[in-house]
């Protein structure tokens, strides 16, 4: 599967966020205006969010009305149902799932 430059960029941003924070997951989303938001998972005693949930929340709290695409970098083979639901809450964006090495594992809508 060949990705365009913008989709490759969000995978790179997700990988960078994950590596920078030493987190289990990294995610990035692109909104309808082309703005991107990168995040990692949050694992606090009182708050647990996946990287996708954090990235979606960042986009929405910044005024995004819809998402064009999302990327999740993780060791897992598939995204969680909660990650897919968060993406669907803001439209029907494509969610790319890649491994820590950046190799694409799948594409979800």
């Amino acid at each position: 599967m060949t990705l365009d430059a913008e989709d490759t960029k969000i995978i790179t941003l997700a990988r960078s966020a994950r590596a920078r924070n030493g987190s289990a997951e990294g995610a990035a989303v692109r909104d309808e205006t082309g703005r991107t938001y990168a995040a990692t998972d949050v694992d606090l005693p009182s708050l647990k969010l996946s990287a996708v949930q954090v990235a979606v929340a960042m986009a929405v709290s910044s005024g995004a009305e819809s998402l064009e695409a999302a990327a999740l970098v993780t060791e897992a083979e598939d995204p969680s149902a909660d990650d897919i639901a968060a993406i669907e809450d803001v439209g029907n964006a494509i969610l790319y799932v890649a491994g820590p090495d950046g190799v694409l594992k799948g594409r979800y809508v």
Side-chain angles (χ1 to χ4, degrees):
M1 177 181 330
T2 304
L3 300 177
D4 68 24
E6 291 301 311
D7 292 337
T8 300
K9 176 183 171 184
I10 62 171
I11 290 173
T12 300
L13 288 171
R15 286 182 70 208
S16 296
R18 181 182 180 273
R20 181 176 52 254
N21 290 349
S23 299
E25 297 180 339
V29 299
R30 183 176 63 248
D31 72 12
E32 77 280 2
T33 67
R35 290 179 296 189
T36 57
Y37 306 86
T40 59
D41 55 300
V42 173
D43 189 6
L44 300 172
S46 64
L47 180 65
K48 296 191 185 318
L49 297 169
S50 72
V52 169
Q53 290 171 323
V54 175
V56 168
M58 290 171 61
V60 170
S61 69
S62 296
E65 295 181 11
S66 66
L67 299 177
E68 291 182 348
L72 169 63
V73 173
T74 180
E75 295 282 352
E77 289 302 312
D78 299 306
S80 71
D82 289 340
D83 286 345
I84 292 172
I87 299 293
E88 289 175 343
D89 283 347
V90 194
N92 289 325
I94 296 168
L95 172 60
Y96 297 104
V97 177
D101 57 1
V103 174
L104 193 63
K105 295 180 185 183
R107 174 184 163 166
Y108 301 81
V109 177

